[in-house]
Amino acid sequence: MVVDEDKAEGEGKVWSLCRMPFWQTCSSKGNGSSSASSSSSSMGNNNIYQQSQSSQLDERSTLTSSMAKSLLPTRRRLRLDPSNKLYFPYEPGKQVRSAIGIKNTSKSPVAFKFQTTAPKSCYMRPPGSILAPSESLIATVFKFVEPPENNEKPIDQNSRVKFKIMSLKVKAETDYVPELFDEQKDQVAVEQILRVVFLDPERTCPALEKLKRQLAEAEAEAALESSKKPPEDIGPCIVEEGLVIDEWKERRERYLARQQVEGVDSAYK
């Protein structure tokens, strides 16, 4: 009897296991696989999200740094005196002069170049050059002052003409040519844009007195530079005291005299 009862209980357990619906076992297995796949997909999404976040952070940092650089003032290579103006005496119908001091404040040679909005009526001397570290010079600017039209005041012309000074770092022993600024456009910096200010030459003021001093210094510098140049062969030779023979001048005079005689002869034929 005991054996029969145990057998009955065992058959009941097997039957109870057999009575479990097939879809429940499949669903339990399916839930496990789907949960695994969902977890893997969520991990993939997290990785993509993290990558996108990092790329966005990099873009923001790059943008912030570029904005910060744009907001920072450009480091000057030259010191100008005056710093942002060119003073000219107002003399209508005449060519007048201004002066500006330029000094290289960097640790390397710097080339500078002038540009103007009125190249037909303005020119600079020198128009450009190369300055060694701590070297300076005084540039002279020439401008033709046009007479006023329609009762126009001199102050109304101040903003019409502007000058721009550009700089470029160069290597030692570089010869200055204007093409340097075209060949290295990315390295060119605009030092300053200068506006024209007219002064009354009849009224004494600090700006006019300073301009006169700078022009005198510029003339002295030009004279010193010309004295350093070797003397040029001008052609005439001194044969004896008080006698100078210029062969080209004599040839020209003989040629003109011959042309004049031939012209007179042909007129009477």
Side-chain angles (χ1 to χ4, degrees):
M1 293 296 292
V2 175
V3 175
D4 294 338
E5 289 177 0
D6 294 338
K7 184 177 180 181
E9 289 178 1
E11 291 177 354
K13 290 180 179 180
V14 173
W15 176 248
S16 63
L17 290 173
C18 293
R19 286 190 302 173
M20 291 180 64
F22 178 76
W23 61 271
Q24 290 183 0
T25 58
C26 294
S27 63
S28 63
K29 294 180 181 180
N31 288 334
S33 61
S34 62
S35 62
S37 62
S38 62
S39 63
S40 62
S41 63
S42 62
M43 290 177 63
N45 292 333
N46 288 334
N47 292 332
I48 295 172
Y49 177 75
Q50 290 176 359
Q51 291 177 359
S52 63
Q53 287 292 103
S54 62
S55 63
Q56 289 178 3
L57 290 174
D58 293 339
E59 291 177 357
R60 289 177 182 176
S61 61
T62 305
L63 181 60
T64 304
S65 61
S66 62
M67 290 178 64
K69 288 180 180 180
S70 62
L71 293 175
L72 290 174
T74 305
R75 186 175 180 179
R76 304 295 182 188
R77 300 166 181 165
L78 304 173
R79 185 169 67 224
L80 309 178
D81 184 25
S83 59
N84 57 1
K85 297 176 184 178
L86 279 177
Y87 294 100
F88 291 89
Y90 183 69
E91 299 179 13
K94 295 182 180 180
Q95 187 181 68
V96 295
R97 295 182 301 165
S98 182
I100 181 170
I102 305 174
K103 183 176 182 180
N104 180 6
T105 57
S106 68
K107 297 181 180 180
S108 64
V110 172
F112 73 88
K113 179 182 177 182
F114 270 99
Q115 281 189 344
T116 178
T117 56
K120 293 183 178 180
S121 61
C122 304
Y123 70 95
M124 291 68 67
R125 189 175 63 192
S129 183
I130 294 178
L131 296 176
S134 301
E135 186 181 3
S136 62
L137 60 78
I138 297 179
T140 307
V141 185
F142 298 83
K143 174 176 170 52
F144 178 77
V145 181
E146 297 180 359
E149 298 179 358
N150 300 325
N151 297 324
E152 188 178 27
K153 296 180 180 180
I155 196 171
D156 296 332
Q157 299 183 11
N158 289 350
S159 60
R160 288 187 177 182
V161 179
K162 292 183 176 63
F163 295 84
K164 181 168 66 175
I165 298 182
M166 299 178 294
S167 66
L168 172 67
K169 285 187 178 182
V170 295
K171 296 180 180 179
E173 301 179 356
T174 301
D175 294 330
Y176 175 80
V177 289
E179 288 76 17
L180 287 172
F181 291 82
D182 297 329
E183 296 170 357
Q184 305 179 38
K185 290 182 179 180
D186 297 337
Q187 305 299 324
V188 175
V190 177
E191 290 289 332
Q192 188 60 266
I193 294 177
L194 308 167
R195 64 187 185 91
V196 173
V197 176
F198 288 113
L199 301 174
D200 187 353
E202 303 297 330
R203 295 182 60 184
T204 303
C205 65
L208 184 59
E209 294 298 323
K210 183 178 180 179
L211 174 60
K212 291 179 179 179
R213 290 195 302 268
Q214 286 184 317
L215 289 174
E217 292 178 10
E219 291 177 357
E221 289 181 359
L224 181 61
E225 289 295 326
S226 62
S227 65
K228 293 180 181 179
K229 295 180 180 180
E232 298 179 357
D233 187 9
I234 58 177
C237 58
I238 300 177
V239 177
E240 60 183 58
E241 188 176 358
L243 180 61
V244 179
I245 299 175
D246 189 345
E247 183 180 358
W248 291 105
K249 185 177 180 181
E250 289 184 356
R251 286 184 180 181
R252 180 173 176 80
E253 289 178 353
R254 288 197 299 267
Y255 172 77
L256 292 176
R258 187 169 61 253
Q259 291 289 329
Q260 186 176 5
V261 172
E262 291 177 357
V264 172
D265 293 341
S266 62
Y268 284 97
K269 287 182 180 179

Short mmCIF file of all heavy atoms in Angstrom, two decimals, residues 247-263:
data_model
loop_
_atom_site.label_atom_id
_atom_site.label_comp_id
_atom_site.label_asym_id
_atom_site.label_seq_id
_atom_site.Cartn_x
_atom_site.Cartn_y
_atom_site.Cartn_z
N GLU A 247 80.74 114.99 -71.37
CA GLU A 247 80.68 114.51 -72.74
C GLU A 247 79.26 114.39 -73.25
O GLU A 247 78.97 114.77 -74.39
CB GLU A 247 81.38 113.15 -72.82
CG GLU A 247 81.45 112.59 -74.23
CD GLU A 247 82.16 111.25 -74.26
OE1 GLU A 247 82.63 110.80 -73.18
OE2 GLU A 247 82.24 110.65 -75.33
N TRP A 248 78.34 113.88 -72.41
CA TRP A 248 76.96 113.70 -72.86
C TRP A 248 76.29 115.05 -73.13
O TRP A 248 75.49 115.18 -74.07
CB TRP A 248 76.16 112.91 -71.81
CG TRP A 248 76.60 111.49 -71.71
CD1 TRP A 248 77.35 110.93 -70.75
CD2 TRP A 248 76.33 110.46 -72.66
NE1 TRP A 248 77.59 109.60 -71.01
CE2 TRP A 248 76.96 109.28 -72.18
CE3 TRP A 248 75.64 110.40 -73.87
CZ2 TRP A 248 76.91 108.07 -72.86
CZ3 TRP A 248 75.58 109.19 -74.55
CH2 TRP A 248 76.21 108.04 -74.05
N LYS A 249 76.61 116.04 -72.33
CA LYS A 249 76.03 117.36 -72.55
C LYS A 249 76.52 117.96 -73.86
O LYS A 249 75.73 118.54 -74.62
CB LYS A 249 76.41 118.27 -71.38
CG LYS A 249 75.74 119.64 -71.44
CD LYS A 249 76.10 120.45 -70.20
CE LYS A 249 75.43 121.82 -70.27
NZ LYS A 249 75.77 122.65 -69.09
N GLU A 250 77.82 117.80 -74.15
CA GLU A 250 78.35 118.33 -75.40
C GLU A 250 77.74 117.61 -76.61
O GLU A 250 77.43 118.24 -77.63
CB GLU A 250 79.87 118.19 -75.42
CG GLU A 250 80.57 119.14 -74.46
CD GLU A 250 82.07 119.04 -74.58
OE1 GLU A 250 82.54 118.18 -75.35
OE2 GLU A 250 82.75 119.83 -73.91
N ARG A 251 77.58 116.30 -76.51
CA ARG A 251 76.96 115.57 -77.61
C ARG A 251 75.55 116.05 -77.87
O ARG A 251 75.13 116.21 -79.02
CB ARG A 251 76.96 114.08 -77.29
CG ARG A 251 78.31 113.41 -77.41
CD ARG A 251 78.17 111.92 -77.17
NE ARG A 251 79.46 111.25 -77.27
CZ ARG A 251 79.61 109.93 -77.12
NH1 ARG A 251 78.54 109.16 -76.88
NH2 ARG A 251 80.80 109.37 -77.22
N ARG A 252 74.80 116.26 -76.80
CA ARG A 252 73.41 116.71 -76.96
C ARG A 252 73.37 118.10 -77.60
O ARG A 252 72.55 118.37 -78.47
CB ARG A 252 72.70 116.72 -75.62
CG ARG A 252 71.25 117.17 -75.69
CD ARG A 252 70.55 116.98 -74.37
NE ARG A 252 69.19 117.51 -74.43
CZ ARG A 252 68.16 116.86 -74.98
NH1 ARG A 252 68.34 115.67 -75.52
NH2 ARG A 252 66.96 117.40 -74.99
N GLU A 253 74.26 118.99 -77.18
CA GLU A 253 74.27 120.34 -77.74
C GLU A 253 74.64 120.31 -79.22
O GLU A 253 74.05 121.03 -80.04
CB GLU A 253 75.26 121.21 -76.97
CG GLU A 253 74.77 121.55 -75.56
CD GLU A 253 75.78 122.37 -74.79
OE1 GLU A 253 76.91 122.55 -75.31
OE2 GLU A 253 75.45 122.82 -73.68
N ARG A 254 75.60 119.47 -79.59
CA ARG A 254 75.97 119.36 -81.00
C ARG A 254 74.83 118.79 -81.84
O ARG A 254 74.55 119.23 -82.95
CB ARG A 254 77.22 118.48 -81.14
CG ARG A 254 78.50 119.16 -80.64
CD ARG A 254 79.73 118.42 -81.19
NE ARG A 254 79.77 117.04 -80.76
CZ ARG A 254 80.43 116.63 -79.66
NH1 ARG A 254 81.09 117.51 -78.91
NH2 ARG A 254 80.45 115.36 -79.32
N TYR A 255 74.13 117.80 -81.26
CA TYR A 255 73.00 117.19 -81.98
C TYR A 255 71.88 118.21 -82.21
O TYR A 255 71.34 118.33 -83.32
CB TYR A 255 72.49 115.99 -81.20
CG TYR A 255 71.21 115.39 -81.75
CD1 TYR A 255 71.23 114.59 -82.88
CD2 TYR A 255 69.99 115.64 -81.13
CE1 TYR A 255 70.06 114.05 -83.39
CE2 TYR A 255 68.82 115.11 -81.63
CZ TYR A 255 68.86 114.31 -82.77
OH TYR A 255 67.70 113.78 -83.27
N LEU A 256 71.55 118.99 -81.18
CA LEU A 256 70.49 120.00 -81.33
C LEU A 256 70.89 121.08 -82.31
O LEU A 256 70.06 121.56 -83.10
CB LEU A 256 70.18 120.61 -79.96
CG LEU A 256 69.53 119.67 -78.93
CD1 LEU A 256 69.37 120.37 -77.59
CD2 LEU A 256 68.17 119.20 -79.42
N ALA A 257 72.17 121.47 -82.30
CA ALA A 257 72.62 122.49 -83.25
C ALA A 257 72.53 121.98 -84.67
O ALA A 257 72.12 122.70 -85.59
CB ALA A 257 74.06 122.89 -82.91
N ARG A 258 72.91 120.70 -84.88
CA ARG A 258 72.84 120.13 -86.22
C ARG A 258 71.41 120.03 -86.71
O ARG A 258 71.11 120.30 -87.88
CB ARG A 258 73.50 118.75 -86.21
CG ARG A 258 73.63 118.16 -87.61
CD ARG A 258 74.53 116.92 -87.62
NE ARG A 258 73.99 115.86 -86.78
CZ ARG A 258 74.51 115.52 -85.61
NH1 ARG A 258 75.59 116.15 -85.14
NH2 ARG A 258 73.99 114.54 -84.91
N GLN A 259 70.49 119.66 -85.82
CA GLN A 259 69.07 119.58 -86.19
C GLN A 259 68.54 120.96 -86.57
O GLN A 259 67.74 121.10 -87.50
CB GLN A 259 68.26 118.99 -85.03
CG GLN A 259 68.53 117.53 -84.76
CD GLN A 259 67.97 116.65 -85.86
OE1 GLN A 259 66.97 116.96 -86.47
NE2 GLN A 259 68.67 115.54 -86.13
N GLN A 260 68.95 121.97 -85.86
CA GLN A 260 68.48 123.32 -86.15
C GLN A 260 68.98 123.80 -87.50
O GLN A 260 68.24 124.40 -88.28
CB GLN A 260 68.95 124.27 -85.04
CG GLN A 260 68.38 125.67 -85.19
CD GLN A 260 68.78 126.57 -84.01
OE1 GLN A 260 69.54 126.14 -83.14
NE2 GLN A 260 68.27 127.79 -83.99
N VAL A 261 70.26 123.51 -87.82
CA VAL A 261 70.80 123.93 -89.12
C VAL A 261 70.12 123.19 -90.25
O VAL A 261 69.74 123.79 -91.28
CB VAL A 261 72.33 123.64 -89.14
CG1 VAL A 261 72.88 123.87 -90.53
CG2 VAL A 261 73.03 124.55 -88.15
N GLU A 262 69.90 121.88 -90.08
CA GLU A 262 69.21 121.13 -91.14
C GLU A 262 67.79 121.62 -91.34
O GLU A 262 67.29 121.68 -92.46
CB GLU A 262 69.22 119.64 -90.77
CG GLU A 262 70.61 119.01 -90.83
CD GLU A 262 70.59 117.57 -90.39
OE1 GLU A 262 69.49 117.10 -89.98
OE2 GLU A 262 71.64 116.89 -90.45
N GLY A 263 67.12 122.02 -90.27
CA GLY A 263 65.77 122.52 -90.40
C GLY A 263 65.73 123.85 -91.15
O GLY A 263 64.84 124.11 -91.98
#
